[in-house]
Amino acid sequence: MDVMGDKATLFETGRFVQPSGDGEEGEIVAEQAAEELRQRLAAEAGDIEAMSVLGAMLLRRGDLDGAEPHLRAATAAGDRAAANNLGVLLHQRGYADEAAGWWRIAAVAGSAAAAHALGRHHRERGDEPAAEYWLRQSAEQGHVLGAYALADLLEHRGDPDAERWMRAAAERGHREAAYRLARALDLRAGPESAGDNGVSPAEEAEQWYRQAAARGHRRAALHLGAILEKRGELKEAGRWYLTSAKDGEPRAACALGFLLRDAGDSESAAVWWLRAAQDGDGNAANALGALHAERGETQTAERWYRAAMDAGDVNGAYNLGLLCAEQGRTAQAEQWYRRAAYAGHREAANALAVLLLQGGDEAGAEPWFSKAAEAGSVDAAFNLGILYAKRGEDALALRWYERAAAAGHTEAALQVGMARLRDGDEREAERHLRCAAGGGSAEAAYRLAAVLDARRPPASAHELGEALHEKTECEEWYERAASLGHRRAQVRVGMLAAARGDVVEAARWYRTAAEAGSRNGAFNLGLLLAREGSEPEAAVWWTRAADAGHGRAALRLALVYARRGELAEGQRWADRAVSLGPAEVAERAARLRDALRQELSA
């Protein structure tokens, strides 16, 4: 008869299978009525077991007045299941102490369900030693709710034995226990950790999340979806997010929205974000705000950012600041940045500092940069470096550059590399320049190439048109910088190509640099064209270079015009070359100018 006690406890939780259809429901109701009639007749005939069963049936139906006399009669006759159910009935009536008395009788008689109920009663009253005693009695008899309640009590006290009982409850199908066990395993999972059975905590956590989610636990479905999404299994992740979202989990609806957006379905994403935002999810409200901002619907965007802020998401204030800044509403942007920054939003603190700095308030900007940087903002650490470098406080600047570089900031790594080059620490300089160059900095790629270039042994001379040789690492970095638009790198790549005889490649890079405004590129392109017999075109590029201040180009033009017999024009360019220099060019140009002057005056 212990089973009746278990059923009564289940009744207390409200977890019963419901009929699936009208016809089936009718049949079940008829069967229940017939069974109740049989038990009632047997109880009236003095059958103790029938009294207990009938009392449990009436209790399950909510007929407390009808159930009580039958349960009391069966309890008086020594039926422990009836004693447990009588305790449930009295507890529902509000007679907790009397209920506990009957649960104690049933528990002493061996009812695991009564021991569980008695343990919970003592815990509600703060008597944890008594609660632990009875919950342990229930758990050790295999009662799943007793095992879970014991695990919950022990976990609250920080007892390591909690996991054993949580696992026991989970293994018996308790979905909340499976979820909590998964959370505990998930939180302590490391990248290399492995359990005693060779299964890592992360893998085991996933198994328990899956079990809890399969039993309808919406938060377990959310966490399982997140694990699968991180692993790249997006289709299955979406299914679990959908399951959780349909069960009313707003975070799952929000995550599903991001998954749909990344798949290109912004409209469906907006539907789920709306559902999550209406349930109070600030992240979803921010996502809706960003979506409307992208569409140019700034008023709607602002409304959702405010909703996010009202939901307690500080990103809402930060995003409002960004929106106002984009619209040129500087005062309002500062207001929202301040609100978010005071709430601990590090990027808002950095944005506020930038805004203050742009307004000339360097003293006001510095503490916000510091606060953001100390909170972990990489951009703020870099900005502090710029601020200190501007003041000439190079040691402080370098410290913040190094901090930002260590967190992967490309431009900060470039600044550290350049500082190390100035200090003569070529090894550290190279390390940081490699980081910056790998992050896409054209300047870092150029400077790294220059460092490597300086180490190369002198190359043997090549004539134009000779066979090409294999490119070195420094050439590859020059080309990386050149492809990113670095003009000096483009000129250098052209020079290296010319040195190995690749005229076409050299001309291509010289022309690219020249068209981007490089006077050296224009001068070198002119040299290449003149060598190939295209002096008129060469003169065009030399003119561009000379107009940009290139002395050697001006000297070349003076020579060209002198050879053509255009002495006045040659003298003009010779004068320009003298003024532009450098010294050796100025000396040669002066001699040429004097010779042309004499020729003109002859």
Side-chain angles (χ1 to χ4, degrees):
M1 286 301 299
D2 288 344
V3 68
M4 296 310 298
D6 292 342
K7 285 182 180 177
T9 306
L10 284 175
F11 166 72
E12 188 180 9
T13 68
R15 290 168 60 188
F16 282 98
V17 176
Q18 298 298 319
S20 60
D22 293 340
E24 183 181 349
E25 182 179 357
E27 291 177 9
I28 291 174
V29 169
E31 288 177 5
Q32 288 176 346
E35 176 62 20
E36 182 180 328
L37 180 60
R38 282 194 295 273
Q39 297 296 341
R40 189 177 294 277
L41 292 172
E44 289 173 354
D47 189 319
I48 303 302
E49 183 178 348
M51 293 178 192
S52 178
V53 172
L54 179 59
M57 292 177 71
L58 294 170
L59 175 63
R60 185 181 298 118
R61 200 168 67 206
D63 184 0
L64 304 187
D65 292 334
E68 186 171 349
H70 295 292
L71 292 175
R72 285 191 180 277
T75 298
D79 189 292
R80 68 181 185 183
N84 175 52
N85 287 336
L86 180 57
V88 172
L89 184 147
L90 292 168
H91 188 269
Q92 289 184 24
R93 286 191 185 276
Y95 304 124
D97 291 335
E98 189 180 352
W102 290 112
W103 279 332
R104 182 180 297 275
I105 290 171
V108 170
S111 171
H116 164 248
L118 186 57
R120 289 187 60 181
H121 169 80
H122 284 298
R123 188 175 182 190
E124 287 169 2
R125 277 153 181 72
D127 187 354
E128 289 197 0
E132 182 181 349
Y133 173 81
W134 288 111
L135 290 175
R136 196 174 290 278
Q137 293 293 317
S138 175
E140 288 176 349
Q141 292 180 63
H143 193 274
V144 62
L145 296 178
Y148 175 70
L150 176 60
D152 184 66
L153 176 64
L154 295 175
E155 187 176 84
H156 174 72
R157 292 209 310 245
D159 191 321
D161 201 35
E163 185 176 317
R164 178 169 72 90
W165 289 109
M166 196 70 78
R167 188 180 296 275
E171 287 171 347
R172 291 182 176 92
H174 195 290
R175 68 179 187 179
E176 184 65 25
Y179 170 71
R180 289 178 63 175
L181 177 60
R183 290 295 295 147
L185 291 165
D186 205 0
L187 291 172
R188 74 163 183 255
E192 303 296 331
S193 56
D196 296 335
N197 57 358
V199 179
S200 71
E203 291 172 331
E204 190 180 1
E206 182 181 340
Q207 293 170 5
W208 288 114
Y209 279 137
R210 194 175 290 277
Q211 184 175 121
R215 291 178 177 272
H217 197 292
R218 69 186 193 185
R219 282 174 295 162
L222 167 67
H223 284 285
L224 179 58
I227 289 170
L228 293 165
E229 181 182 3
K230 187 176 180 181
R231 205 159 62 211
E233 299 176 24
L234 303 184
K235 190 173 182 180
E236 188 180 359
R239 286 201 300 269
W240 285 113
Y241 282 149
L242 180 61
T243 298
S244 181
K246 284 182 175 179
D247 285 341
E249 178 56 57
R251 289 175 297 170
C254 181
L256 180 59
F258 282 112
L259 213 59
L260 290 165
R261 182 205 62 183
D262 293 343
D265 189 355
S266 295
E267 295 304 319
S268 297
V271 170
W272 287 104
W273 282 333
L274 179 62
R275 182 167 174 173
Q278 288 172 338
D279 286 338
D281 190 282
N283 195 24
N286 272 314
L288 278 173
L291 185 65
H292 287 289
E294 287 173 7
R295 295 172 177 173
E297 301 165 358
T298 54
Q299 288 186 334
T300 307
E302 185 170 337
R303 180 168 62 85
W304 281 113
Y305 288 148
R306 287 179 182 274
M309 191 172 57
D310 293 340
D313 192 324
V314 70
N315 283 314
Y318 174 59
N319 288 331
L320 275 170
L322 291 174
L323 191 66
C324 291
E326 287 173 3
Q327 295 172 339
R329 295 154 59 195
T330 306
Q332 292 93 328
E334 182 180 338
Q335 171 195 343
W336 292 116
Y337 285 150
R338 280 190 187 277
R339 181 163 179 172
Y342 277 121
H345 196 292
R346 66 190 188 190
E347 297 308 325
N350 179 59
L352 174 60
V354 170
L355 202 64
L356 293 170
L357 193 61
Q358 288 171 345
D361 186 2
E362 186 175 308
E366 184 179 347
W368 285 112
F369 276 138
S370 295
K371 186 174 182 179
E374 293 292 353
S377 171
V378 180
D379 287 335
F382 177 65
N383 289 335
L384 264 181
I386 294 174
L387 199 64
Y388 287 125
K390 184 180 176 182
R391 294 178 186 169
E393 300 177 47
D394 293 338
L396 275 174
L398 181 59
R399 180 164 69 86
W400 286 109
Y401 284 146
E402 286 179 329
R403 186 162 176 174
H409 196 287
T410 297
E411 291 304 313
L414 169 62
Q415 294 301 322
V416 175
M418 291 167 63
R420 295 303 179 206
L421 277 178
R422 288 193 295 270
D423 295 341
D425 188 350
E426 192 175 292
R427 183 175 179 182
E428 274 298 293
E430 181 183 340
R431 183 171 72 84
H432 282 95
L433 290 173
R434 283 188 182 278
C435 291
S441 169
E443 184 65 26
Y446 172 73
R447 289 180 180 272
L448 173 60
V451 168
L452 298 173
D453 203 1
R455 296 178 190 163
R456 289 198 308 168
S460 57
H462 287 76
E463 293 294 333
L464 292 180
E466 280 192 9
L468 306 179
H469 63 73
E470 188 176 348
K471 293 177 184 177
T472 63
E473 186 187 4
C474 83
E475 289 179 80
E476 290 174 355
W477 283 114
Y478 277 134
E479 286 190 5
R480 173 85 66 90
S483 65
L484 292 171
H486 196 286
R487 292 184 301 182
R488 284 179 294 165
Q490 290 166 347
V491 173
R492 185 63 181 142
V493 170
M495 292 170 66
L496 292 169
R500 63 174 185 265
D502 190 346
V503 180
V504 174
E505 183 76 355
R508 182 172 74 85
W509 283 113
Y510 287 151
R511 189 179 298 276
T512 300
E515 288 174 348
S518 169
R519 62 189 186 184
N520 285 328
F523 175 69
N524 288 357
L525 179 58
L527 289 179
L528 205 63
L529 291 167
R531 238 182 253 181
E532 293 295 301
S534 301
E535 191 174 84
E537 189 180 354
V540 171
W541 290 105
W542 283 333
T543 301
R544 183 181 291 196
D547 287 340
H550 199 288
R552 286 187 171 85
L555 178 58
R556 289 278 177 172
L557 284 169
L559 292 168
V560 167
Y561 285 112
R563 283 197 300 270
R564 291 179 184 173
E566 300 178 29
L567 304 185
E569 189 67 9
Q571 184 180 342
R572 185 174 73 83
W573 282 112
D575 278 333
R576 186 71 189 278
V578 169
S579 65
L580 292 173
E584 68 273 15
V585 170
E587 184 181 346
R588 290 179 59 196
R591 290 200 301 269
L592 176 60
R593 179 191 59 192
D594 292 343
L596 291 174
R597 186 175 295 152
Q598 289 175 6
E599 186 73 22
L600 283 168
S601 61

